[in-house]
Structure formats: C-alpha cells, structure tokens
Amino acid sequence: MPGTHRVRTAALAALLLAAAAACTTPSGDRIADLPLSAEPLAGKFVWHDLITDDVQAATAFYGGLLGWTFEETTHPGGGDYTVVFSGERLVAGVVALDDPADADYSRWLGYLSVQDVDAAVGATRSAGGNAVAGPLDLPNVGRAAAIQDPQGAVVGLIRSDLGDPDDSLAPQPGVVVWNEMLASDDAAAAAFYAVIGGLQVREESRSRGVYRVLSAQGKDRSAVMQRPNDDIEPFWLTHFAVGNVAEAAQRAEALGGEVLLGPDPELRDGTIALVVDPTGAVLALQQMKP
C-alpha cells in the first residue's frame, strides 16, 4: 500500500544518485530518433524509473501486463540498468535496490524538468523539504537532484543540456500518460510545484473535491489531489495507458499484482484502476480515449 513507502533518507539518496546516473545512457541506437525539444520543457515529467528489489519479477509482470520489452545495460556508476520499451517507444528504466528489513523502497520515480536544479532544491529547502540526492552533474546530459517535498513525496529534478522528449509523440498503450500527486495538503502542494516547476495551477471542481491541474507550455503536465485518507503517505502516482482498463486490472491480478482500486463508474467514468506490482510499487492503469 502507498502508506508503507517510508523514506530512509541515507539509503534512498544513494539509490537516487545511481538512478539519476543510469538515466543518462538509455540505449544507444534505439533512441537515436527520439524527438527532443530545443530547450528543456520545464514543468514536464520527462523520465521515469522503477525502483525495485526484484528486477526479474518486475519485468515479468510489466511484460505480461503492458507488453513491454527490456534491454539490459550498465549505467556510468557501473551498476546494472534495465531499459524499457513499448514497441519501439522508449518508456522508462528499472533500477535494482535490495530492501532493508524495515522498509519497502519499491516505487515509480518520476523526473520533473526544471529551469534551474539548484534553485529548485533551494526553494524546496526553504519550504521545509530536503534534497535526498544531489544536485549533481550528469556528464554530457545536464544536472539532476532528487527531493523529498515538504509533505514527504519524492520526485526527481533534471535540467537537461540535450532538451527534453518533446510533445510530438502521440499516446499509445504501455507508455506514461499522466502523473498525479496524492497530497496531505493539495493546495500547498500545488503551490509548491508551481514554484519549483514554473507551472500554472488550474482548479477543477470534481465529485470528490478540487482537482488542481498543473500546466506549462500551454499543456496540462500533471495534477495534485487531496489523498483519500490519512493512512496514505503523500506520493506521486504514475499512470500508464491501456486499451481496456478492466481487462488490464484482471491481467495485473493474474500476473501476481494486487488491485487496490478496480474500475468504478463513479470514479472518472470507470477509466482508471490502482494496482500494486509484485515488488510493491504502486501504479495507475489509465484507459485511453477512443
């Protein structure tokens, strides 16, 4: 459950430093045609890593659930790194970390593009959060850090010298289509990310309360909502596109995952399911619009 994801700062810092280094070298020839923006797209989530204590179990699950394929590589620090593809589309990376006895680190970690990593880290500290990794320079890529925001949610920050994956690629099954924070104070969280990400906040009234959409470059980039109950620790939830969410939820369960929340017509017209993978990472399955 999301509430079990407790951060142990020293160990997590070492992990995120490795993950940040890993994402600098995704996979050679297969990403040669990845369209990149001329300038960083501040406020956009531009990369995701799965942090897991069992890479084999994770790849079996996601391969069966989302049809992913995987390529083994090595990050500059010398550790193993698994690159994820949906068809020919680069999706994410997988980083191994053995859990200590008293905590579960398995999670999806998103990287938010920012104009100035050091300034964003400084603003985080001023607001009551902290940096758990970096800022550090990534050779031939840019500068990165990972922060624990004032409410305890963990997110990566990156300023790429190469530009960010642009907005020309259409959504397809198996790729990340949305990022959403479940916050202990949604208004404060939205205001915080507006500052560090250069985002605008738009409030929408929904059946379960206010939904705060964060936008930049004229596009909706992510959102913040109030957590359903106090047992859920604040965290960023990564959404992956599927063709049929009910079938995907059943498949997730058959593959050894747990369905925390199945499709419900009263929740976003039954287009979303909340799932835990076999290693403990929480994700959302989002049905694509026809």
Side-chain angles (χ1 to χ4, degrees):
M1 294 289 290
T4 68
H5 287 226
R6 302 185 302 275
V7 174
R8 298 294 186 269
T9 302
L12 186 59
L15 158 68
L16 296 178
L17 285 166
C23 77
T24 67
T25 55
S27 190
D29 294 341
R30 293 188 69 185
I31 63 165
D33 296 327
L34 182 68
L36 297 173
S37 62
E39 296 290 336
L41 300 176
K44 179 180 180 178
F45 279 88
V46 295
W47 186 248
H48 294 78
D49 276 324
L50 173 63
I51 314 302
T52 178
D53 61 355
D54 191 335
V55 172
Q56 184 175 1
T59 54
F61 173 79
Y62 289 100
L65 177 63
L66 299 173
W68 286 352
T69 57
F70 306 92
E71 184 173 319
E72 303 299 326
T73 186
T74 302
H75 64 67
D80 294 333
Y81 189 64
T82 302
V83 181
V84 177
F85 292 89
S86 178
E88 293 299 313
R89 180 82 66 85
L90 181 65
V91 176
V94 181
V95 180
L97 177 76
D98 291 332
D99 289 332
D102 64 342
D104 180 3
Y105 288 131
S106 296
R107 68 187 66 216
W108 278 98
L109 173 69
Y111 291 83
L112 182 68
S113 178
V114 296
Q115 289 288 354
D116 187 321
V117 171
D118 293 77
V121 168
T124 299
R125 289 174 172 146
S126 296
N130 63 83
V132 295
L136 74 163
D137 290 318
L138 307 178
N140 303 315
V141 174
R143 192 159 174 81
I147 62 167
Q148 190 174 17
D149 74 18
Q151 298 183 33
V154 178
V155 68
L157 306 176
I158 190 164
R159 164 72 191 221
S160 172
D161 294 337
L162 307 174
D164 293 325
D166 70 20
D167 298 317
S168 64
L169 295 175
Q172 68 179 46
V175 305
V176 177
V177 289
W178 194 238
N179 292 272
E180 181 177 74
M181 183 185 171
L182 278 67
S184 56
D185 183 336
D186 54 338
F192 169 77
Y193 283 100
V195 170
I196 69 164
L199 291 148
Q200 293 78 50
V201 181
R202 182 179 76 252
E203 295 185 4
E204 296 182 355
S205 179
R206 298 193 175 183
S207 61
R208 301 191 179 219
V210 177
Y211 193 71
R212 290 176 166 83
V213 180
L214 307 179
S215 62
Q217 298 89 40
K219 294 184 178 294
D220 293 343
R221 296 302 190 189
S222 57
V224 177
M225 62 179 290
Q226 190 71 22
R227 60 186 177 181
N229 61 69
D230 292 346
D231 293 333
I232 298 175
E233 294 185 7
F235 77 113
W236 278 97
L237 177 64
T238 306
H239 294 232
F240 296 91
V242 294
N244 184 300
V245 67
E247 292 177 0
Q250 292 176 351
R251 193 160 59 247
E253 199 164 40
L255 290 164
E258 179 186 356
V259 178
L260 296 178
L261 179 66
D264 183 342
E266 296 185 1
L267 178 63
R268 303 184 193 180
D269 298 322
T271 62
I272 188 173
L274 196 64
V275 171
V276 182
D277 76 20
T279 75
V282 181
L283 63 143
L285 302 175
Q286 177 67 58
Q287 185 164 300
M288 293 183 63
K289 295 180 180 179

